[in-house]
Every structure is written in structure tokens, then in C-alpha cells.
Amino acid sequence: MTCPYQQICGGCPYRHLGREEYQKMKTQQFERILTQIRQDNIKTGQPVFIADGTRRRAALAFLYQRGKLQLGFNENRSHALVDIRSCSLLTPAINAVLPLLYNFLTGFCAIKSTEKLKNKKFRTYNIGRGDVHLTETAGGLDILFEIGEPLSLEHRMCLCDFAGNDGIARISVHTGQNKAETIVEKNRPYLDIGGYQVFVPAGTFLQASREGEQALLNLVMHYIGTTDGKVADLFCGVGTFSYPLAANRNCKITAADSSEELLDGFQKSVNHNMIPNISICRRNLFKYPLDSQELKGFDAVVFDPPRAGAAAQTAQIAAMPQADKPARVVAVSCNPHTFVNDANTLLGGGYKLAEVTLVDQFVYSTHSELVALFEKSEEEK
């Protein structure tokens, strides 16, 4: 699909390629990166390519100067904004709200407000710049504004009017305080994950598309197989993998992440859905990974770290006594380069890379995701 912004916007550098040419190129790039893994004969699964127009979340910037609004993404290799009204990557629901959002922000940013300062002084201001995070959920659109100015009463009234548009579930604003403030919530935004309604905090991290999320889930569950017993879900986020893992009542899931806000929402969903076999702990796994004693007795580990990878955690797994090591480790990665480091650490600790599968969730971009299965070597089991 062509895009009028593809020559200036940095989001889709490969959009000019035909579909077959693009998929071949992306697969070859992926396979070249895998050659850095210190194992011969690496088995790869059938690549999963996500369709265009499925991106369910977007972060846009806006700038208001001299009575004119710009709303869009950064130009390629620049901080300048590409003013857009639609994006070929995004879902129809998000594209439908973009013109409405542009008109709303034009009026919103034009509001002149007065703030009382110390020494009985006042200042007049308007909101000149900020960011907008749009997320499509099963309950409607979740919109989070990030701005650097306080909200006046007129700003709040304007936000409430905007929330009256069809398809908007919640509007929140973050003004530099610790947490975002919910201004209007018509419906609680939620996702369908593993057969559960999972309510999400404002601006939370989610997989970029519902289709990509399902592809990752399918691969994780395929690689976990019939594993029973204790399973660790590390860097768990909102619990994307914990929910389907918990469907097997013989599994006891320990989910860990560092975000208090994400885990609070996760715990509320676990309570709401009355899931008895998920326990949640807050842990900075970069600084304080689960060690050999904490992982002893686990049958499997699933980890899905940020782009920096899971060096500290994989080092702990690799250093465990061979008899105590989990039989299976399933790695989910949004950065194949840092995955190579994690893979080599696990290989050095007595694991074999059984299979790795490309998931091209960020279509026409340079980014790739993957899911990989590591098993203890036969002589080590």
C-alpha cells in the first residue's frame, strides 16, 4: 500500500518495496543476524508477517505556533513534524479519529488560561506542544495526552466535549505528575487475552497489534507445549503470556516486572477474573534478576524484555546447577541483536536453541520480533 508521507516520514522505510520483495528481504536480514549465534544448524519456524493497517497504538506529537497546529510523526532523521491526517499502518478506528483530534487540538491549544504565581503575580499561557498516545482496545479508544502545562477548567470542559465522539472510551492527561489523571471514562478500556477481559492503565505498553500479539501468544504456547508445574513469566507487563499459561490449572505462574502501575492493573485483572494460579511480584530484573535459588523447581521460563535484552536474567539461568535448570526457556524479543547475546549466554549454560521464529509485527520497518525455544541438552536433562 502506498503512502503520501513515505518519502519524508521515518516510520516505513521499506514501504516502497513489493510485498514479496519486502518479506524476502526481512527474512534474509533476520537469518543474517542469527549467524552470530554460536550454534550450527539453527532451525527456523515459518515466519509470521502481520498485515498493514493493524497497528492498534500510536504516539503522535503536536505543535501549536502562530495559530497553526501540526500533528503527526517526526520526519526521517529529524525532529521536524510530518503533519498527517491518516497513516497506512494504523487501524481504521484510529485513522477515523485523527481528523477529529486535529480539530480538537486546534481549539484546545488556542485556549488562553491564567495561572496564579507566587507574590500575587499571574501568568497567561496556552498549551503549545505535547504528545498524544492512542490505543485501540476492545472497549474503545484510549487517549492519553502528555502536556507540560496545567489544565484549566476550560481545558477540562473542552476534553469532556471531545470525549463525546463515538468510539472514545477514555481520555487521560499527564502533566508531569506521577500518574496520569483520568478526565473522562465512558467505558473501561480492556483487551481480550487468553479468554479474559484484561483492563489496561492509561498509556500502558501493549503489543503493537492484536494480530501480532496473537502470533506471539501462539508461538509461546506452542513452545511451552504440555509443560506442567511452575512457570516464570519475566518482564510480564500486563500479563500477556500469563493469562493463556494459567489456563492450564496444573501450572503455577510467577509473573515479575518492575512497573508498579502495570502490575497494579495486572493484579486487579487477576482478581476480577478470579485466576487462582498467577502470583505477581514487582522486581527490577535488570538489577535484581531471579537467582538460582529462586528459580529452582521451575519447569519453564518465559521472558519478554525491552530492547536492551535480558543479559542479567539469562546469566542467572545459565549459571544454575544443571539438574536445577528449567527444562524449557522461551524467549520473546523485539531486538534480534540483543537476543543473540541472550542466546549465546543460554547456549554456554547447557541449553540448545531448538527453534526460532520471526514475527514481523512492525511492517515495512527495520524492526523484527521473534520467539525462540531453548531446551536443556539431552545429556544435561
Side-chain angles (χ1 to χ4, degrees):
M1 182 186 296
T2 60
C3 171
Y5 311 107
Q6 67 187 56
Q7 299 301 320
I8 52 175
C9 178
C12 305
Y14 298 132
R15 185 170 286 278
H16 63 285
L17 299 177
R19 183 171 178 81
E20 289 186 8
E21 183 183 4
Y22 165 74
Q23 292 184 357
K24 180 180 179 181
M25 180 272 300
K26 206 67 176 284
T27 302
Q28 290 175 341
Q29 282 185 346
F30 180 68
E31 291 175 346
R32 280 197 298 271
I33 295 172
L34 296 184
T35 62
Q36 301 171 54
I37 296 175
R38 294 192 288 270
Q39 176 181 301
D40 296 328
N41 303 317
I42 295 175
K43 181 182 178 182
T44 56
Q46 182 66 35
V48 180
F49 291 96
I50 304 303
D52 207 6
T54 59
R55 188 78 65 86
R56 67 179 176 187
R57 59 180 175 87
L60 294 85
F62 65 88
L63 179 65
Y64 184 77
Q65 290 180 320
R66 301 180 183 88
K68 183 178 180 181
L69 181 83
Q70 289 179 283
L71 172 68
F73 304 113
N74 286 336
E75 287 184 11
N76 189 22
R77 302 179 185 276
S78 169
H79 293 295
L81 281 183
V82 179
D83 205 21
I84 69 164
R85 298 297 177 274
S86 67
C87 172
S88 300
L89 290 174
L90 302 178
T91 63
I94 294 181
N95 273 322
V97 84
L98 290 183
L100 302 176
L101 180 62
Y102 180 87
N103 291 335
F104 159 74
L105 283 171
T106 300
F108 184 74
C109 292
I111 295 172
K112 294 291 185 181
S113 299
T114 301
E115 181 184 26
K116 185 178 180 181
L117 304 175
K118 294 181 180 179
N119 301 321
K120 298 182 180 181
K121 293 182 179 180
F122 293 84
R123 75 173 181 110
T124 300
Y125 67 93
N126 67 293
I127 295 171
R129 64 177 65 241
D131 297 295
V132 189
H133 301 267
L134 303 166
T135 304
E136 181 180 351
T137 74
L141 287 179
D142 189 23
I143 303 178
L144 171 66
F145 294 95
E146 287 191 340
I147 57 178
E149 298 284 0
L151 292 178
S152 67
L153 177 60
E154 191 173 356
H155 285 129
R156 293 174 182 275
M157 293 173 63
C158 194
L159 286 164
C160 290
D161 288 342
F162 179 55
N165 286 290
D166 292 339
I168 296 177
R170 178 173 63 193
I171 292 180
S172 306
V173 176
H174 189 273
T175 57
Q177 304 301 317
N178 291 330
K179 292 184 178 180
E181 177 189 358
T182 298
I183 306 299
V184 179
E185 185 175 88
K186 298 191 300 186
N187 302 301
R188 290 189 68 189
Y190 70 93
L191 306 176
D192 291 313
I193 302 179
Y196 296 105
Q197 279 192 354
V198 178
F199 298 103
V200 293
T204 191
F205 172 81
L206 303 173
Q207 295 296 336
S209 67
R210 183 179 58 82
E211 293 80 0
E213 178 179 82
Q214 191 60 54
L216 297 174
L217 279 173
N218 291 344
L219 285 165
V220 168
M221 298 308 296
H222 173 65
Y223 287 153
I224 284 290
T226 57
T227 297
D228 289 334
K230 297 174 68 176
V231 179
D233 180 9
L234 307 182
F235 306 94
C236 65
V238 297
T240 301
F241 303 118
S242 289
Y243 290 105
L245 288 168
N248 180 354
R249 290 298 191 244
N250 294 321
C251 286
K252 304 295 182 184
I253 316 302
T254 298
D257 204 297
S258 61
S259 170
E260 180 179 2
E261 187 173 14
L262 282 181
L263 295 184
D264 180 61
F266 186 7
Q267 186 66 66
K268 288 177 180 177
S269 284
V270 167
N271 295 343
H272 172 79
N273 288 290
M274 295 184 290
I275 305 174
N277 55 335
I278 295 178
S279 61
I280 300 170
C281 66
R282 186 182 177 196
R283 190 78 167 257
N284 184 332
L285 296 168
F286 293 110
K287 292 184 177 181
Y288 309 107
L290 271 64
D291 62 27
S292 58
Q293 286 302 309
E294 293 169 303
L295 287 172
K296 185 176 181 179
F298 277 81
D299 298 275
V301 171
V302 178
F303 66 88
D304 181 15
R307 293 186 60 78
Q313 187 60 71
T314 51
Q316 288 291 328
I317 297 171
M320 293 176 68
Q322 294 295 345
D324 295 341
K325 283 185 172 73
R328 294 188 173 202
V329 175
V330 178
V332 182
S333 175
C334 60
N335 186 345
H337 295 282
T338 56
F339 166 76
V340 167
N341 299 328
D342 293 335
N344 285 331
T345 298
L346 291 171
L347 295 180
Y351 282 93
K352 176 184 178 181
L353 177 54
E355 186 173 277
V356 57
T357 301
L358 165 67
V359 178
D360 184 38
Q361 183 171 199
F362 296 95
V363 61
Y364 295 122
S365 79
T366 59
H367 301 296
S368 296
E369 292 191 79
L370 62 86
V371 184
L373 169 62
F374 295 86
E375 297 179 322
K376 282 201 292 189
S377 301
E378 287 297 326
E379 62 270 19
E380 305 292 357
K381 290 182 178 180

